[in-house]
């Protein structure tokens, strides 16, 4: 059975980045314990990542490639894989359903879906099975929202909520079908 997960952080007001794609505010939150807040445990249970071009380009600015799993980058413009990422990423384009068929046919069933536009597209096509959203205690007031318009409501069931460092609130939701 294939499963598609979103694991993402937002501001209290639901933004994943500033208007210019900035995410520096994510790193301003003190982390006295050095915890990864469950991220490693989550990624141990996925087969691959699916991300958009914008988040791919942002991650490239971090220096060393942070992912140990295969990454599929949705882009109709990018086609040449940088030499240092050969075997680590694959560019793919098409409608979300088609993209999933190609990825699943390669044996990748548990997918981490990342990037604002990609998450919104997958949600609008009802292709997200679980949402894990961590809210940081900051109001950005404007920026790139996590959620966009939907043709009809999507209902989720609350699985659990954890609070880290008395500041970050991570809530896990499962699609109610």
């Amino acid at each position: 059975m294939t499963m598609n997960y979103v694991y993402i952080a937002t501001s209290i007001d639901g933004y994943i980045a500033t208007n210019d794609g900035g995410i520096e505010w994510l790193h301003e939150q003190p982390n006295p314990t050095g915890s990864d807040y469950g991220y490693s445990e989550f990624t141990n249970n996925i087969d691959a990542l699916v991300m958009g071009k914008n988040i791919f380009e942002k991650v490239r600015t971090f220096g060393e490639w942070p992912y140990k799993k295969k990454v599929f980058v949705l882009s109709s413009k990018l086609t040449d894989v940088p030499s240092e990422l050969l075997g680590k990423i694959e560019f793919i384009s098409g409608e979300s359903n088609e993209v999933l068929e190609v990825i699943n046919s390669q044996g990748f069933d548990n997918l981490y879906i990342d990037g604002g536009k990609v998450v919104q597209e997958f949600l609008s096509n009802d292709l997200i099975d679980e949402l894990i959203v961590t809210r940081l205690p900051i109001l950005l007031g404007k920026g790139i929202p996590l959620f966009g318009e939907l043709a009809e409501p999507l209902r989720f069931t609350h699985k659990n909520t954890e609070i880290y460092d008395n500041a970050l609130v991570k809530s896990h939701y499962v699609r109610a079908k």
Side-chain angles (χ1 to χ4, degrees):
M1 179 174 156
T2 64
M3 297 286 288
N4 300 320
Y5 303 90
V6 171
Y7 188 104
I8 201 161
T10 71
S11 61
I12 294 172
D13 47 355
Y15 296 106
I16 58 172
T18 58
N19 281 335
D20 62 356
I23 57 171
E24 295 76 20
W25 57 275
L26 290 170
H27 307 288
E28 294 171 0
Q29 179 65 39
N31 184 350
T33 62
S35 171
D36 73 353
Y37 306 115
Y39 180 77
S40 294
E41 181 181 347
F42 168 75
T43 58
N44 285 339
N45 295 310
I46 61 141
D47 300 324
L49 289 83
V50 179
M51 67 173 55
K53 179 178 84 63
N54 293 341
I55 190 69
F56 168 71
E57 290 176 339
K58 177 57 94 176
V59 171
R60 293 273 326 267
T61 68
F62 297 168
E64 188 176 326
W65 188 246
Y67 304 109
K68 293 174 179 45
K69 308 278 174 122
K70 174 96 175 230
V71 176
F72 293 89
V73 180
L74 297 178
S75 176
S76 58
K77 294 182 171 67
L78 300 175
T79 55
D80 295 327
V81 174
S83 59
E84 72 275 9
L85 296 178
L86 284 172
K88 296 178 181 180
I89 72 161
E90 182 178 322
F91 293 120
I92 190 167
S93 64
E95 297 297 318
S96 50
N97 285 323
E98 298 165 349
V99 163
L100 284 179
E101 283 182 34
V102 170
I103 294 171
N104 295 152
S105 74
Q106 293 182 32
F108 301 104
D109 295 321
N110 295 309
L111 303 176
Y112 171 7
I113 311 301
D114 197 16
K117 290 178 184 175
V118 175
V119 169
Q120 289 177 14
E121 179 185 341
F122 275 62
L123 282 168
S124 71
N125 290 307
D126 196 9
L127 296 171
I128 298 297
D129 299 294
E130 298 190 24
L131 286 168
I132 303 162
V133 180
T134 302
R135 294 204 181 269
L136 277 70
I138 184 172
L139 289 168
L140 293 178
K142 61 183 175 181
I144 299 171
L146 172 56
F147 302 113
E149 289 186 30
L150 296 170
E152 57 186 64
L154 298 177
R155 302 209 185 292
F156 287 81
T157 301
H158 177 258
K159 186 172 179 180
N160 71 312
T161 294
E162 298 173 82
I163 299 172
Y164 295 98
D165 299 328
N166 203 31
L168 288 82
V169 179
K170 181 171 83 172
S171 295
H172 188 159
Y173 302 93
V174 176
R175 180 76 172 96
K177 296 193 180 194

